[in-house]
Amino acid sequence: EESRLPGLAVRLTVTDPICAGNQGTFLWELDKETSRITRLPDGEGPGSGQEIPRLEVQIGALTGWLFGYGEAPAAEPWIQEIRVLQGVFLDEEV
């Protein structure tokens, strides 16, 4: 099913209690075909006066949702438009 999302920018704040390098604030830009994320310097926003959706989430909840194993981390209407992965399995033989 094709997303109805014409284009979206989200200010994403991620916390990680285990790896401080994963924490930070990012600009997440999405459209029907692509998704990209850019780390924002501390205190910087995507543009003066530009109001965009914000999402604050722990890394585990974010990755669980994006890989199709958890609930959306917010009840915002725009978040329901994001198409997440389904049925991802990571196997490793040792």
Side-chain angles (χ1 to χ4, degrees):
E1 175 182 332
E2 184 177 296
S3 171
R4 295 184 304 272
L5 201 70
L8 176 67
V10 177
R11 184 182 175 104
L12 177 65
T13 302
V14 178
T15 56
D16 187 335
I18 297 172
C19 182
N22 290 337
Q23 298 190 128
T25 301
F26 305 86
L27 178 61
W28 185 17
E29 298 173 283
L30 308 99
D31 62 29
K32 290 181 182 180
E33 303 295 324
T34 62
S35 172
R36 73 178 158 266
I37 191 165
T38 307
R39 183 180 291 272
L40 295 173
D42 290 340
E44 186 175 311
S48 60
Q50 184 180 9
E51 271 303 311
I52 64 169
R54 295 174 181 255
L55 178 60
E56 295 183 20
V57 64
Q58 278 203 343
I59 193 81
L62 179 64
T63 55
W65 169 61
L66 290 174
F67 282 103
Y69 294 103
E71 297 294 319
E76 303 293 334
W78 58 265
I79 210 164
Q80 304 305 319
E81 294 293 324
I82 297 173
R83 194 173 35 177
V84 298
L85 300 174
Q86 296 294 321
V88 174
F89 299 97
L90 302 175
D91 293 329
E92 180 179 333
E93 289 186 32
V94 179

